Amino acid sequence: MDNGMSVILFEKLPEGDLRVIEERVWSMNMITALEHVNYLVVGSREYETVEGRLNVDQGKLELLLVPMRTEG
């Protein structure tokens, strides 16, 4: 049975600091889909994926995101 993998989403703030947006378990289908996407929508906000890192020690996938500008 595939329980997926824990994914941590980090937002890179303008000052360069990182903020955890969320951590949740993703299905392997969602993780596989990362090969085909450049943008994620989380909490009704759109982010560009900058890079990903597999934290083997914690068994977690960490994604670095930059928020897209919203014209408004």
Side-chain angles (χ1 to χ4, degrees), residues 9 22 24 39-48 65:
L9 303 178
E22 70 168 33
R24 73 167 104 162
Y39 300 92
L40 298 176
V41 177
V42 182
S44 299
R45 290 188 65 198
E46 186 174 30
Y47 297 90
E48 181 176 7
L65 310 176

Side-chain angles (χ1 to χ4, degrees), residues 1 18 36 49 61 71:
M1 182 173 176
L18 300 180
H36 307 286
T49 56
L61 179 61
E71 305 301 326

Side-chain angles (χ1 to χ4, degrees), residues 27-51:
S27 71
M28 291 313 293
N29 285 341
M30 288 179 67
I31 292 171
T32 301
L34 286 172
E35 296 178 32
H36 307 286
V37 299
N38 297 316
Y39 300 92
L40 298 176
V41 177
V42 182
S44 299
R45 290 188 65 198
E46 186 174 30
Y47 297 90
E48 181 176 7
T49 56
V50 177
E51 61 186 44

